[in-house]
Amino acid sequence: MERTLVETLVLNFFVAFGVIIGGSIIGGIGAYLTGNPPLRTIQDLAGSLKIWALVAAIGGTFDAFTSLERGLFDGNHHDIFKTLMMIFSALCGAHSGTTIIQWITQEYLAP
């Protein structure tokens, strides 16, 4: 079943968002069970999960690179636009998730 571009962008946003929120909170539960500070762990995980949220949202990096290559060398500019929009949507989802984690923990991640 083929998805439209808008459906794909929304799905990528929420997959990246969910990876950040879910991974950080579940990791915080694990930190609590092992005696580590949960809020600090949640904050650290939110920062380190960003790249994995992006990879999970776009379905793996090789598909994105193949699509970019096809767009550059075969002249199919629609593929370049679609891939860049998918990456941007996933980045926005990961950033939104990280921002919510910052609000929950009352901490700001170091750049």
Side-chain angles (χ1 to χ4, degrees):
M1 183 170 114
E2 188 68 28
R3 286 187 228 118
T4 65
L5 179 60
V6 173
E7 290 171 340
T8 302
L9 295 177
V10 170
L11 188 62
N12 284 351
F13 178 90
F14 283 105
V15 166
F17 182 83
V19 167
I20 297 292
I21 297 293
S24 298
I25 291 176
I26 297 298
I29 293 170
Y32 174 76
L33 293 175
T34 59
N36 294 322
L39 291 180
R40 179 68 183 165
T41 303
I42 289 172
Q43 176 190 357
D44 292 341
L45 284 173
S48 64
L49 285 175
K50 274 187 174 182
I51 188 68
W52 295 110
L54 177 67
V55 170
I58 62 173
T61 56
F62 294 114
D63 291 338
F65 286 130
T66 302
S67 183
L68 286 174
E69 177 188 14
R70 186 174 42 241
L72 287 173
F73 297 123
D74 293 343
N76 192 353
H77 301 296
H78 183 268
D79 284 343
I80 294 174
F81 174 74
K82 183 177 177 182
T83 303
L84 290 176
M85 290 300 294
M86 287 171 48
I87 292 170
F88 180 72
S89 174
L91 284 172
C92 288
H95 182 72
S96 298
T98 304
T99 301
I100 288 177
I101 292 296
Q102 288 173 351
W103 290 344
I104 290 172
T105 62
Q106 299 290 314
E107 297 285 337
Y108 292 101
L109 298 175

